[in-house]
Amino acid sequence: AEISAQERALDELSQLTRSKRKAEEALASFDAEEASLREQLRAHDLCDAQDARRAAAEARQAWQSTESKAEHLRRALIEQNVPARDALEQGRARLNALSSLKAADAQKRCDDAEAALSDFDAKPVERPRSLLPYIIVSAVLLLLFIFVSALPSPVALAGCIVSGAALAALLVLNWNNARKVRAAHEEKRGVLEQALRDARSDAAAQQKLYDAAARELLVLIPAGDISRVGAYLDAALQKYAELDALTREARDLSLRCELLSARAPKGDVPDEPVVRPARSRAELQTALDALARCRREAQSTFDYTSGRCRAIGDAAELEAALTQKRDELAQKQAEYDAIALAMESLQ
């Protein structure tokens, strides 16, 4: 029974030894695989660090470039003596007000007055109502009454008086009509001339105001000529708009540069580009977790087999003890056989 127990112990010890050896080999392979996985994760870390530093450097370069452009534009505005933004806005308001002083309405009134006077002069002068037929008739009657001797003297005298009075009245009335027509014509023409003079005076006053305002505007906005003030204002305000855009962009890039610099790793990062592994970080971490589970299982197997092997004992000692037991069993068996043979011979 002891020999059987020891043989079973030796068989179990042999199986445990094989299981322990496999567990050791698995643990060794797990160490190499874990080192490889962690090396790949380290490569990901280095690539991320290099990307972060590269992004920070690019952001700093972009910020410096934008800041340089903004500073260059500021110096250009100062060197070109471009007025301040408030002065430009004031100049824009004055230019808009100046357009209302262009004397366009006054000039139109002046042109209309000249046209009305020209049209009036081009028309024929209105003629008075002619009394010439009546004057001719009265003159003929007067001559008849004077030179026809066949008429009685009283009749001829009365006819001369009546026809002469009629002729005189007609002449006076005809002259008075002509005078009234001429006076009305002169009055109408005088009204048109006065309107023309007033329009010219208004246009001159408006032009004087326009010139004075234009000179003040050119003092404020050094465009050289009033016709170039609008384009000068547009160009100057466009430059200020570009400066504002560059300033905002530089501020945003500065904040981005500070943020990326704060996120950039502080440790040593190699300058040489690191090749990013083909497997993603998540895949590597999943493989590392699975490897950890396998390691725990292999370690549990190793610990169990090691404990059982220590509990069973050393294989050589067990072999020696088993050999001794077998020798003792063989010796006792020989003794038993000798006794049994002696008993048979006695019988």
Side-chain angles (χ1 to χ4, degrees), residues 6 317-329:
Q6 287 184 347
E317 293 178 357
L318 288 175
E319 287 285 347
L322 180 61
T323 301
Q324 183 180 358
K325 291 292 183 182
R326 285 174 178 173
D327 292 341
E328 291 176 356
L329 179 61

Side-chain angles (χ1 to χ4, degrees), residues 72 141 232-233 315 341:
H72 178 73
L141 289 175
Y232 184 91
L233 289 173
L341 181 61

Side-chain angles (χ1 to χ4, degrees), residues 23-52:
E24 288 178 341
E25 293 174 354
L27 288 173
S29 65
F30 289 158
D31 290 339
E33 187 175 356
E34 181 181 3
S36 175
L37 291 174
R38 294 194 180 280
E39 185 65 25
Q40 294 181 61
L41 286 174
R42 172 61 179 169
H44 273 293
D45 294 338
L46 292 177
C47 289
D48 292 341
Q50 288 181 344
D51 291 342

